[in-house]
Amino acid sequence: MVAMVEETSHRVAFGIDIGGSGIKGAPVDLTTGEFAADRRRVPTPEKSTPPAVATVLAELVDSFDLPADCPVGVAFPAPMDRGVVRFIANLDKSWKGVDLPALVHDATGRAVRAVNDADAAGVGEHRYGAARGTDGVVLVVTLGTGIGSALLVDGVLVPNTELGHLEIDGHDAEHRAAESARERHDLSWEKWAKRLQRYFETVEMLLSPDLIVVGGGVSKQHKKFLPLLDLRAPIVPATLLNRAGIVGAAALAADAG
Ligand code: BGC
């Protein structure tokens, strides 16, 4: 069924967030940062190769009745060098070197901008959410299959920071402290919070953020772990929760014109 997007005077862009378990998309009203129609989620294909994911993206975009000139923003779980995937931790390894905007343009016929998923979430939170209008050094960390990071300085994004792959105590940080590690090892909130404490105190020592925003699906349950952390900077849940990637990607796609 095709979901109708109401005609409004606001600018709308379509945002997609590609994750290890699900691909989510929605049209975003860029005046408010709200979804202009209900978000849809499709499971990530088990073999998450570029052609398999491109097919899912085209179906997702086509299931909405979007204006012909509506741009598409894609949030992708890898560092992006002007849209080209530099390395990939949590999807099929054949993504390395793929030009994502070209792939999605070929599949949808639309103008496409692709950015790192945490960078998209960071922009979403800075424009519409928990870090709205905050100057200084803002760090947005997403906890999911991996750990994503976005660094904004006076509202300007420093892209591709990849702080989930810091080596801490001899481990790739996301292997110990991502939400997937909590689930994989069935950790209590207290045990997971100890790992998060070690992670955030290391990042804080390196970057001295003025504000830390925590996103990803688990941020819905922030009351269970954020109060257990002891840091110098205020640490707050993302207000867009796991919508931030979709919203930020849509906003960046619209910026690209
Ligand atoms: C990737 C990052 C991504 C993060 C969250 C990491 O494994 O290297 O690019 O932002 O996961 O998806």
Side-chain angles (χ1 to χ4, degrees), residues 77-79 87 89-90 116-118 142 146-148 162 165 174:
F87 67 79
N90 295 311
N116 172 261
D117 56 358
T142 61
I147 294 183
E162 289 297 320
H165 296 298
E174 73 176 23

Side-chain angles (χ1 to χ4, degrees), residues 8-253:
T8 66
S9 55
H10 306 312
R11 285 181 317 144
V12 169
F14 194 80
I16 299 176
D17 195 355
I18 301 180
S21 57
I23 298 178
K24 294 150 273 179
V28 177
D29 177 333
L30 298 170
T31 307
T32 59
E34 302 285 338
F35 290 164
D38 285 346
R39 182 191 84 152
R40 291 195 168 159
R41 180 184 190 279
V42 188
T44 306
E46 208 166 306
K47 186 121 184 62
S48 54
T49 58
V53 170
T55 303
V56 170
L57 294 189
E59 284 167 10
L60 184 64
V61 171
D62 287 347
S63 73
F64 290 86
D65 180 29
L66 302 170
D69 61 353
C70 177
V72 172
V74 183
F76 193 76
M80 310 290 287
D81 193 355
R82 291 185 170 72
V84 176
V85 177
R86 211 147 43 75
F87 67 79
I88 182 86
N90 295 311
L91 288 180
D92 195 82
K93 297 297 172 225
S94 60
W95 277 100
K96 184 171 159 34
V98 168
D99 182 331
L100 185 53
L103 180 83
V104 182
H105 173 74
D106 286 351
T108 64
R110 292 179 182 273
V112 179
R113 181 164 183 192
V115 292
N116 172 261
D117 56 358
D119 283 346
V123 168
E125 285 296 321
H126 196 270
R127 291 201 190 173
Y128 305 103
R132 190 170 181 157
T134 306
D135 282 340
V137 177
V138 174
L139 181 69
V140 178
V141 172
T142 61
L143 301 172
T145 308
I147 294 183
S149 60
L151 185 67
L152 294 114
V153 184
D154 292 339
V156 177
L157 177 71
V158 181
N160 294 320
T161 43
E162 289 297 320
L163 298 175
H165 296 298
L166 277 177
E167 187 181 316
I168 301 177
D169 303 331
H171 299 277
D172 187 40
E174 73 176 23
H175 286 156
R176 290 196 47 88
E179 157 66 356
S180 59
R182 185 182 74 82
E183 286 173 348
R184 194 167 59 245
H185 302 297
D186 199 16
L187 299 176
S188 64
W189 293 103
E190 289 72 18
K191 284 212 166 119
W192 187 50
K194 283 211 173 92
R195 295 183 179 199
L196 288 177
Q197 174 68 29
R198 183 80 188 106
Y199 178 67
F200 281 112
E201 72 193 14
T202 304
V203 174
E204 180 165 65
M205 183 269 287
L206 294 170
L207 294 173
S208 300
D210 296 297
L211 174 68
I212 303 173
V213 179
V214 177
V218 75
S219 58
K220 268 183 251 164
Q221 305 188 67
H222 62 92
K223 291 202 174 102
K224 299 193 173 129
F225 63 96
L226 287 189
L228 306 177
L229 302 181
D230 180 18
L231 297 160
R232 187 191 54 80
I235 182 162
V236 299
T239 48
L240 303 179
L241 302 170
N242 60 352
R243 298 194 311 275
I246 295 177
V247 171
L252 286 166

